[in-house]
Amino acid sequence: MNDTLMTATWAGGMRFVHRSASGHAVVTDAPADKGGGGTAASPMELVILGLIGCTGVDVVSILQKMRQPLESCEVQAVSERAEDHPRVYTRIRVTYLLRGDLDPQKVQRAVELSEKTFCSVSAMLRGTAEITSEVRINP
Protein backbone atom coordinates (compact mmCIF):
# COMPACT_ATOMS: atom_id res chain seq x y z
CA MET A 1 0.00 0.00 0.00
CA ASN A 2 1.23 3.48 -0.86
CA ASP A 3 1.47 5.72 2.19
CA THR A 4 0.42 9.00 0.54
CA LEU A 5 -1.61 11.04 2.99
CA MET A 6 -4.54 13.06 1.73
CA THR A 7 -6.93 14.99 3.95
CA ALA A 8 -10.44 16.46 3.99
CA THR A 9 -10.92 19.13 6.66
CA TRP A 10 -14.41 20.27 7.56
CA ALA A 11 -14.87 23.99 6.91
CA GLY A 12 -18.42 24.41 8.27
CA GLY A 13 -21.78 23.52 6.79
CA MET A 14 -21.12 20.75 4.27
CA ARG A 15 -17.89 22.28 2.95
CA PHE A 16 -14.56 20.48 3.11
CA VAL A 17 -11.09 21.58 2.11
CA HIS A 18 -9.22 18.65 0.62
CA ARG A 19 -5.45 18.51 0.42
CA SER A 20 -3.83 16.11 -2.03
CA ALA A 21 -0.64 14.20 -1.38
CA SER A 22 1.12 16.67 -3.68
CA GLY A 23 -0.09 19.58 -1.54
CA HIS A 24 -2.86 20.98 -3.75
CA ALA A 25 -6.15 22.12 -2.23
CA VAL A 26 -9.69 21.60 -3.53
CA VAL A 27 -12.95 22.66 -1.89
CA THR A 28 -16.16 20.63 -2.06
CA ASP A 29 -19.68 21.38 -0.88
CA ALA A 30 -23.04 19.67 -1.01
CA PRO A 31 -25.81 21.17 -3.14
CA ALA A 32 -28.28 23.43 -1.35
CA ASP A 33 -31.06 20.82 -1.65
CA LYS A 34 -28.80 18.35 0.22
CA GLY A 35 -28.02 20.68 3.12
CA GLY A 36 -24.96 22.38 1.69
CA GLY A 37 -24.38 25.84 0.35
CA GLY A 38 -23.77 24.80 -3.25
CA THR A 39 -20.58 26.88 -3.23
CA ALA A 40 -18.29 24.27 -4.81
CA ALA A 41 -18.33 21.04 -6.76
CA SER A 42 -19.66 18.02 -4.90
CA PRO A 43 -17.37 15.05 -4.19
CA MET A 44 -19.28 12.99 -6.78
CA GLU A 45 -18.78 15.73 -9.38
CA LEU A 46 -15.06 15.51 -8.65
CA VAL A 47 -15.18 11.83 -9.61
CA ILE A 48 -16.45 12.73 -13.09
CA LEU A 49 -14.00 15.63 -13.33
CA GLY A 50 -11.27 13.16 -12.42
CA LEU A 51 -12.44 10.83 -15.20
CA ILE A 52 -12.48 13.44 -17.95
CA GLY A 53 -9.22 14.96 -16.74
CA CYS A 54 -7.53 11.55 -16.65
CA THR A 55 -8.65 10.49 -20.11
CA GLY A 56 -7.96 13.96 -21.50
CA VAL A 57 -4.34 13.83 -20.34
CA ASP A 58 -3.99 10.36 -21.85
CA VAL A 59 -5.45 11.31 -25.23
CA VAL A 60 -3.36 14.48 -25.55
CA SER A 61 -0.19 12.61 -24.55
CA ILE A 62 -0.86 9.73 -26.96
CA LEU A 63 -1.69 12.06 -29.86
CA GLN A 64 1.51 14.03 -29.22
CA LYS A 65 3.51 10.78 -29.30
CA MET A 66 1.75 9.95 -32.59
CA ARG A 67 2.88 13.39 -33.84
CA GLN A 68 -0.68 14.49 -34.48
CA PRO A 69 -1.09 18.30 -34.84
CA LEU A 70 -3.61 18.76 -32.02
CA GLU A 71 -4.86 22.36 -31.68
CA SER A 72 -7.41 21.88 -28.89
CA CYS A 73 -9.08 19.22 -26.81
CA GLU A 74 -12.20 19.40 -24.68
CA VAL A 75 -13.62 16.38 -22.90
CA GLN A 76 -17.25 16.45 -21.78
CA ALA A 77 -19.27 13.99 -19.72
CA VAL A 78 -22.94 13.38 -19.03
CA SER A 79 -23.71 10.91 -16.28
CA GLU A 80 -26.51 9.03 -14.54
CA ARG A 81 -26.52 7.73 -10.99
CA ALA A 82 -28.40 4.92 -9.25
CA GLU A 83 -31.61 5.91 -7.48
CA ASP A 84 -30.78 3.90 -4.35
CA HIS A 85 -27.84 4.31 -2.00
CA PRO A 86 -25.00 4.14 -2.53
CA ARG A 87 -25.86 6.35 -5.52
CA VAL A 88 -23.03 5.15 -7.75
CA TYR A 89 -22.64 6.21 -11.34
CA THR A 90 -24.41 3.76 -13.65
CA ARG A 91 -23.94 5.43 -17.06
CA ILE A 92 -21.36 7.89 -18.28
CA ARG A 93 -21.19 9.32 -21.80
CA VAL A 94 -17.81 10.88 -22.62
CA THR A 95 -17.45 13.17 -25.63
CA TYR A 96 -14.06 14.21 -27.00
CA LEU A 97 -14.04 17.47 -28.99
CA LEU A 98 -10.75 17.77 -30.85
CA ARG A 99 -9.39 20.31 -33.33
CA GLY A 100 -6.52 19.97 -35.71
CA ASP A 101 -5.49 18.23 -38.92
CA LEU A 102 -5.94 14.87 -37.21
CA ASP A 103 -6.05 11.32 -38.54
CA PRO A 104 -9.42 9.99 -37.30
CA GLN A 105 -8.05 6.44 -36.92
CA LYS A 106 -5.19 7.66 -34.72
CA VAL A 107 -7.60 9.71 -32.62
CA GLN A 108 -9.87 6.70 -32.14
CA ARG A 109 -6.86 4.57 -31.18
CA ALA A 110 -5.74 7.17 -28.63
CA VAL A 111 -9.21 7.21 -27.06
CA GLU A 112 -9.36 3.41 -26.95
CA LEU A 113 -5.92 3.19 -25.33
CA SER A 114 -6.96 5.70 -22.69
CA GLU A 115 -10.30 4.08 -21.93
CA LYS A 116 -9.14 0.46 -21.91
CA THR A 117 -5.49 0.62 -20.79
CA PHE A 118 -4.25 3.85 -19.23
CA CYS A 119 -7.03 5.79 -17.45
CA SER A 120 -7.16 4.55 -13.84
CA VAL A 121 -10.37 6.45 -13.12
CA SER A 122 -12.12 4.81 -16.05
CA ALA A 123 -10.96 1.39 -14.86
CA MET A 124 -12.45 2.00 -11.40
CA LEU A 125 -15.75 3.39 -12.67
CA ARG A 126 -16.28 0.51 -15.12
CA GLY A 127 -17.11 -1.63 -12.08
CA THR A 128 -20.47 0.11 -11.70
CA ALA A 129 -20.96 2.28 -14.79
CA GLU A 130 -21.44 1.66 -18.47
CA ILE A 131 -19.01 4.11 -20.08
CA THR A 132 -19.53 5.04 -23.72
CA SER A 133 -17.71 7.59 -25.81
CA GLU A 134 -18.00 9.72 -28.89
CA VAL A 135 -15.25 11.52 -30.79
CA ARG A 136 -15.81 14.71 -32.75
CA ILE A 137 -12.95 16.14 -34.78
CA ASN A 138 -13.22 19.81 -35.80
CA PRO A 139 -16.83 20.13 -34.64
Side-chain angles (χ1 to χ4, degrees), residues 51-64 73 75 114:
L51 169 65
I52 60 179
C54 182
T55 192
V57 166
D58 289 343
V59 169
V60 167
S61 175
I62 293 165
L63 289 175
Q64 287 174 341
C73 174
V75 186
S114 174

Side-chain angles (χ1 to χ4, degrees), residues 47-48 50-52 55 75-80 89-96 108 111-112 114-116 119-134:
V47 172
I48 297 297
L51 169 65
I52 60 179
T55 192
V75 186
Q76 302 174 345
V78 177
S79 59
E80 293 178 22
Y89 286 108
T90 55
R91 288 188 188 169
I92 304 168
R93 177 75 174 167
V94 178
T95 303
Y96 299 84
Q108 192 59 46
V111 168
E112 288 172 8
S114 174
E115 291 178 343
K116 300 204 174 7
C119 181
S120 306
V121 182
S122 178
M124 287 188 292
L125 287 171
R126 270 197 304 273
T128 62
E130 173 192 356
I131 302 174
T132 58
S133 64
E134 174 185 6

Side-chain angles (χ1 to χ4, degrees), residues 10-139:
W10 182 47
M14 294 294 162
R15 288 174 56 96
F16 279 81
V17 177
H18 307 263
R19 185 143 325 261
S20 69
S22 58
H24 298 282
V26 176
V27 176
T28 60
D29 196 359
D33 65 342
K34 303 286 188 223
T39 62
S42 73
M44 286 300 284
E45 288 175 319
L46 289 184
V47 172
I48 297 297
L49 293 175
L51 169 65
I52 60 179
C54 182
T55 192
V57 166
D58 289 343
V59 169
V60 167
S61 175
I62 293 165
L63 289 175
Q64 287 174 341
K65 288 175 184 161
M66 291 178 170
R67 301 192 190 289
Q68 289 294 292
L70 181 65
E71 295 172 13
S72 69
C73 174
E74 179 177 318
V75 186
Q76 302 174 345
V78 177
S79 59
E80 293 178 22
R81 292 176 63 187
E83 291 293 321
D84 297 325
H85 292 282
R87 296 197 56 231
V88 298
Y89 286 108
T90 55
R91 288 188 188 169
I92 304 168
R93 177 75 174 167
V94 178
T95 303
Y96 299 84
L97 305 171
L98 307 164
R99 286 196 167 284
D101 186 20
L102 304 167
D103 178 333
Q105 289 180 327
K106 288 185 178 182
V107 170
Q108 192 59 46
R109 179 69 179 140
V111 168
E112 288 172 8
L113 283 168
S114 174
E115 291 178 343
K116 300 204 174 7
T117 304
F118 296 113
C119 181
S120 306
V121 182
S122 178
M124 287 188 292
L125 287 171
R126 270 197 304 273
T128 62
E130 173 192 356
I131 302 174
T132 58
S133 64
E134 174 185 6
V135 174
R136 295 186 203 160
I137 300 172
N138 298 318

